[in-house]
Amino acid sequence: MKNLLLFLILVLLGNSVFSQSDPVPGIGFDNYHFRNDFLMASPGAMKFGLYGHDNPALLNYVKQPDLMFAWSDQFGRFGDFNRWGLFLGIPNAGFSVINQNIEIEGIRKRLTDYRVSSGIGTKTFGVGASYSWSGGDTDDFDRKSSFTLGTLLRPCRYFSLGITGTSVFNFDHYEGVFDLAIRPMGNEKIAVFGDYGLRNDMKLADGYWSAGMAIEALPGVRITGRYINGRYSDYGTYTVGLEFSLGRIGLATQGGFNNDFKHSHNTYALRIGAHDRNLLDELIRKPRYYTRIDMSKPMRYQKYRLFDNANSLIEILDAIDAAAQDPRVSGIAINATSMNINHAMLWEIREQLKQFQETGKKVVIFIDNASMNSYHFVSVADKIIMDPWGSITLPGYIAGNIYLSSMFEKLGIGVSEFRFYEYKSAFEALARDSMSDEDREQRQRIVDHRYDLVKNDIMTSREFTEEEYENLINEIIFFTAGNALDHGLVDKLGRWSERSNIIKDFEEDKKSFISTDSLQRYQLPVDNYWGKKPQIAVIYAEGVCDMERGIKAKSLSRDIAKARKSSNVKAIVFRVESPGGSPLASDIVAGELLKAKEEKPVIITQGSVAASGGYWLSMYGDTIIAAPNTVTGSIGAISGWFYDEGIKDKIGYSTDFVKKGEHADLGFGLVVPLLNMPIMDRKFTEKEEKIIRNVMASLYDDFVEKVAEARGKEFEDIDAIGRGRVWSGYDALNIGLVDTLGGMQTAINIALEKSGIGIGEEYEIVEYPKPGLFNFAGLLSGMIGTKTQKIKEDPVIEHLKFRMQHNTEPMLILPLEYMNFYFNENKGLD
């Protein structure tokens, strides 16, 4: 909106200030080279030409407002301003004014040409249109209103072809122009260009043309040389130009020479507005900025396209990397107050901050309250600033469960657990009243690894000895702000609102703050790369493995197929954040990944939990990556049965039926009102239990065989680490279930290498599933000032429904508390 208002104001001012009389009809317009004499190269060869004045299709590629004033001494001296132009470009729109004063038969005449332009398109193809009218002494210059249609084709990084057609409205006079540019290196460094124009009253051999070269050997320093066919060029045949960028300001000049190489004129230009590549940022300017990152906002994998102020993981990781590469930035200031982000995401961001610090830049994090996971994250900072009324709680880690068998018994609901693999404990919470020995063993192992990870990282970052750390955890536990400062957990007391003075004291120099949007990576013009960049598809499998909910296997498999078939997608990064679920849903998605693997690299990155069916989704990856605190593995199957053991009598329901078939009544029963949970009429018979045992054994064997084949191991090897056991990411690496430790950025880097794009080269991320337009429920809730979430949307209730609706089906799923943990850390942020 701001850009549009600026555009309209300049159009109105231009028409009112520079026009002294109404436009007077004429018979034509200047030829292509003369009306674009401020161009240093053909329109598509260098940056954005004259912002639509030359080819309106170029406005498709303008991403920031930019204003250029240019003038020529062709009809006088340097300061006479007998010919000048003003060119404005904003995204998809442009406006230009060219004024010239010429003495005709001893009388000074003035002509002002105006042009309004617009352009739209894709990265490979743009179209545009412009309308031109004139004011001043138009009778003496044979002027008439005209329009221009333009296209620009950039099918690859090496080639650009522009076509424009200009005509007066009665089509008595019209002109066509082709301009071609070739980049031998596929970037902005060198462009060889040429153009050819022809009017309707000319023969093909009489057309006017030019050819030349543009070089950007240093960032923002551009040199051009051009030969212009002289038949219709009475102001010079050769031009040599120089442009020098200072960032948001640019200076340019070019000299014209006649056929005998005598100097004929100069043009000059001053640009202000859009950020441009430049040497000052790289070599001269002192790093003076801190980048602000607000992690008090919700963190999700994907954001809605509108009305969503949340952070996404991939945005935060890229912003940290962009800040590391920005020579203007000396540090990052993070607002971590009220932060609520799952442990795997925090670990990934922490690792990215460590890489940032390796460039010599600083990290300052502001907190109010912190616990084990959040303090683990903030401990990476060079300085931790704590609210004077905040607190830190460091009790260690616990993994427990609530057991519901007695509750179900009192409700009159029977629960049968079909558990044939000792570590597959997914039904324990529903069918038992205490933890099994096997479940206790695997849980303790995961807790130990998580504790050791956090302990070692905090000891390294805060320079604690082991004795000091254990004392903090086991003897003190709770810290007020003053206690935390005294024990070296934080460095200073203060608030996010006081960050300017706090960082000034820390750096011993005043620093300005910029948002992540203002980082150089996101501000530089997009002219350095023509056409579509190669893409890495990042696909998210988030939630239970089900056909229509959670990962939504039906639509997710279509997204994978779309990425597989796209010639521009060079690799797939598949993020798994799932505790498992339906074998059918898991296998449909895994099958599509296997197809994709045959055509391009498939890199798996596991989040906080990727186990059971979540591991089934992972197993076919070329490379499987886990965080050290990921919960993965759980290769096994389990089933259970909810049946009537008095609940019908308690609530006054009764059932009756007729049947044909010995087991026809197996799935018959009541549905609990409101919760839509099915409770079957009876328990399994011995015969039916034997059948389900055989089915589960077959499913387990199939699961193990698939994993063994995918991982290049024997059945016995996977069976020994399977049997439903969950593993930490650290253990999974040691036993061969994953290939390396890391996160999303690790996966993207591996995808770049395996796809042949290469780290450091240009690429784009395309995400699937496509995010929704906006969160309607959340928007409605905000509008009416109340929460619209119903009991059926509670994650625990939803999971119980999921279990009961898959009554007796063999499932690849984790225990209830892993589901609850997953939902609390990932879904509860909405």
Side-chain angles (χ1 to χ4, degrees), residues 212-245:
M213 179 181 292
I215 299 173
E216 186 175 339
L218 297 172
V221 181
R222 303 174 180 99
I223 301 171
T224 61
R226 190 181 189 191
Y227 171 76
I228 303 175
N229 175 282
R231 182 173 301 185
Y232 299 98
S233 175
D234 54 3
Y235 61 90
T237 303
Y238 301 95
T239 65
V240 177
L242 173 65
E243 181 177 342
F244 188 81
S245 171

Side-chain angles (χ1 to χ4, degrees), residues 1-11 48 50-52 56-67 87-95 117-120 274:
M1 182 60 70
K2 180 176 67 176
N3 295 340
L4 180 60
L5 288 174
L6 175 63
F7 173 73
L8 292 175
I9 289 170
L10 282 173
V11 169
F48 311 110
L50 294 178
Y51 306 108
L58 279 164
L59 293 166
N60 174 53
Y61 302 96
V62 175
K63 302 305 178 186
Q64 298 180 59
D66 215 10
L67 182 67
F87 307 91
L88 168 68
I90 66 172
N92 306 112
F95 172 67
S117 309
S118 181
I120 58 174

Side-chain angles (χ1 to χ4, degrees), residues 810-830:
M811 300 293 284
L812 313 172
I813 198 163
L814 285 179
L816 174 62
E817 65 276 13
Y818 287 101
M819 290 289 296
N820 190 27
F821 163 78
Y822 165 73
F823 277 111
N824 283 341
E825 291 202 324
N826 293 283
K827 297 297 187 184
L829 303 180
D830 289 344

